[in-house]
Amino acid sequence: MTEPPEASVSPAARPERVIAARLSRGVLGAGMLVMPPVVVALAGGDGPLVWTAHLLLGGSVALVLAALVRARLGPVSLAGAVGALLGGWAERAVDGVFAVAFTAGQAAIAWFAAVSLLSAADGSPPRAGTDGLLLALGVLVVAGAAALGPVALPVTVLRWRPWVAGALAVACAAVGWPGVPAGGADTALAPSGLSSGGALWLALAALFFAGVGWEAVTDAVPSVAAGRGRTYAGVVLGTAGVAVVHLGLALLQGRGGQGPVPVPLRWGLAGATAVVLTSYCFTNIRTASRIAARLRPDGRGPAGRPPGKALVTAVGAACCAFAWAGARGGAVPLLLLGPAAAALTGYALGAVAAVRHGGPPLRCAGVLLLLVLGGVAVLAVPVLSGA
C-alpha cells in the first residue's frame, strides 16, 4: 500500500530521482513479505514470469498516469486525478473501491502473519481451515485498537519501515521460510481445485496487491514539475528499482534453503514478520478510514471532516469480517483479490481519462492499457470463478 508522502522535497534533488524514490516507496511495502511465498505456492517455477508480467503492466500504468497528470493537474491522489478529469462520480468510485479493498487487504496481511506464526510452531504452513483465524483476528484487533488511539508513527519510522520489511523479506527468502512447496494447494496460501492455468491467473491477480502504489506518480510528478523527459526517466528508474527488489526476492524465494529452518530462527522471523505486518495494518486501517470519510458529503476538500472513532471502528470490524470470511483454503490470495479489483478499477478509469483528455500518443497508450486491463479481467474471471 502507498506510504504517506513526505512533508517536503529538497529543491536540490534531481526530479527524476524524486519521482523514482516516491514511486518505489509507494509500491514497496508489505507485499515484499507477503507476495513471494504466495506466488511460489501458486505459480511454482513460473513465478518469475508472473512477476515480470506484473511489473511490465505496473510500469505501463505509471507511465500513462504520469503523462496524464504532468501538465494538467497539481499533486493529487488517483481518485482526485480521475475526479478532476472525468467528474465527481469517478472520484467517488475510486475512493469507494479502495475503501473496501483496503479492508480486504488488511485481512490478507493479518492472515499471512497468522500463517507465519503457525509455521514457526509446526515447521510448515498450516493446512486450509480455521486454525489461523484467531491469530489473524488478534493482529487486526491490535492494529485497530492502535488506530483508534492518538499515537502516530513518526515520519522516520515510516521512511525506514520499507527498508526493514525488505531486509526481513530477504532473510525469509534466503532460508526458504515459510517452507511453501511449489503448487502448495490446500493451505492458506493457495486454494485447492485450481488448474495450473487458474493458479497462474490467481497469482497475477493477487500481485496487484503488491503493485498498489503505481498511482503514486499522480502526486509525485506534479510536485516536482519536471519536463517530459525527466518525468519519464523518473518513472522508468522507479519501475526498475521495484523490479530489482521484487524479481530478486522471487528468485531468492525459489532457491531458498532446502533444509529445515532452526526453531529459534523460525520464531525470530515469524515474530518480526508479525510486528512489521501489524504496523502496516495499523496505518492502513487509518488510511482506509480517511478514504471512507471522503465518501461522506462533508468529507471532500481540505475542510472535510476527518474520520471519527466510530468510522475507524467500523473499518476495523470490516477487516475482521473479511478475515472471518477468508477462513478457507487459499485465504491470503483470495482476499488479495479485493485490492486487485480496486487497482484494476482505478487504473482503468485513469486510462479512460487519458483517452478523453490526452493527445494522440497518450490516447493510443490509454486505449492499449484499457485493452490489456480489460483482457486480464475477462480472461481471469472465468478461470478464478471456481476458487
Side-chain angles (χ1 to χ4, degrees):
M1 302 289 179
T2 305
E3 295 287 342
E6 293 184 6
S8 61
V9 177
S10 169
R14 295 176 64 87
E16 59 269 33
R17 293 182 182 177
V18 173
I19 294 170
R22 289 195 177 184
L23 176 58
S24 299
R25 190 167 57 249
V27 177
L28 298 175
M32 291 185 288
L33 282 165
V34 175
M35 293 315 303
V38 170
V39 173
V40 167
L42 290 169
D46 292 328
L49 294 178
V50 175
W51 279 103
T52 300
H54 164 72
L55 291 163
L56 290 173
L57 181 56
S60 300
V61 166
L63 282 171
V64 169
L65 293 178
L68 177 66
V69 302
R70 187 184 66 84
R72 295 175 178 83
L73 301 172
V76 70
S77 66
L78 174 62
V82 298
L85 296 170
L86 297 178
W89 67 268
E91 184 174 5
R92 289 189 294 272
V94 174
D95 276 341
V97 294
F98 269 90
V100 175
F102 263 67
T103 60
Q106 303 330 296
I109 292 174
W111 261 104
F112 187 84
V115 167
S116 299
L117 292 170
L118 291 175
S119 299
D122 299 335
S124 60
R127 298 186 65 82
T130 60
D131 289 349
L133 179 58
L134 289 180
L135 285 172
L137 291 175
V139 169
L140 292 173
V141 168
V142 170
L148 282 169
V151 177
L153 294 182
V155 172
T156 302
V157 173
L158 293 174
R159 185 178 299 148
W160 280 98
R161 184 171 60 176
W163 292 93
V164 173
L168 184 56
V170 169
C172 291
V175 299
W177 184 90
V180 182
D186 200 27
T187 70
L189 301 181
S192 58
L194 279 180
S195 65
S196 58
L200 288 176
W201 278 113
L202 179 54
L204 180 60
L207 270 180
F208 265 105
F209 166 79
V212 170
W214 296 107
E215 71 278 4
V217 295
T218 63
D219 177 78
V221 167
S223 69
V224 299
R228 181 183 291 109
R230 286 192 161 185
T231 295
Y232 297 157
V235 174
V236 171
L237 183 61
T239 303
V242 172
V244 168
V245 173
H246 278 162
L247 287 176
L249 286 172
L251 294 173
L252 193 59
Q253 182 76 31
R255 300 174 183 176
Q258 302 299 316
V261 181
V263 174
L265 181 57
R266 289 204 313 254
W267 280 108
L269 293 174
T273 297
V275 169
V276 171
L277 293 184
T278 301
S279 80
Y280 275 103
C281 288
F282 159 49
T283 53
N284 286 335
I285 286 174
R286 282 188 172 174
T287 299
S289 301
R290 288 195 295 269
I291 295 173
R294 294 203 296 264
L295 295 172
R296 302 179 304 197
D298 59 349
R300 297 286 173 186
R305 289 169 53 194
K309 289 189 175 182
L311 182 55
V312 176
T313 301
V315 169
C319 293
C320 292
F322 272 112
W324 176 80
R328 54 167 291 182
V332 174
L334 294 180
L335 288 169
L336 292 176
L337 293 179
L344 188 70
T345 302
Y347 298 161
L349 286 174
V352 170
V355 172
R356 290 186 58 179
H357 296 280
L362 183 55
R363 289 182 178 179
C364 291
V367 168
L368 289 175
L369 182 57
L370 275 175
L371 290 174
V372 172
L373 292 174
V376 168
V378 168
L379 293 173
V381 169
V383 175
L384 298 178
S385 59

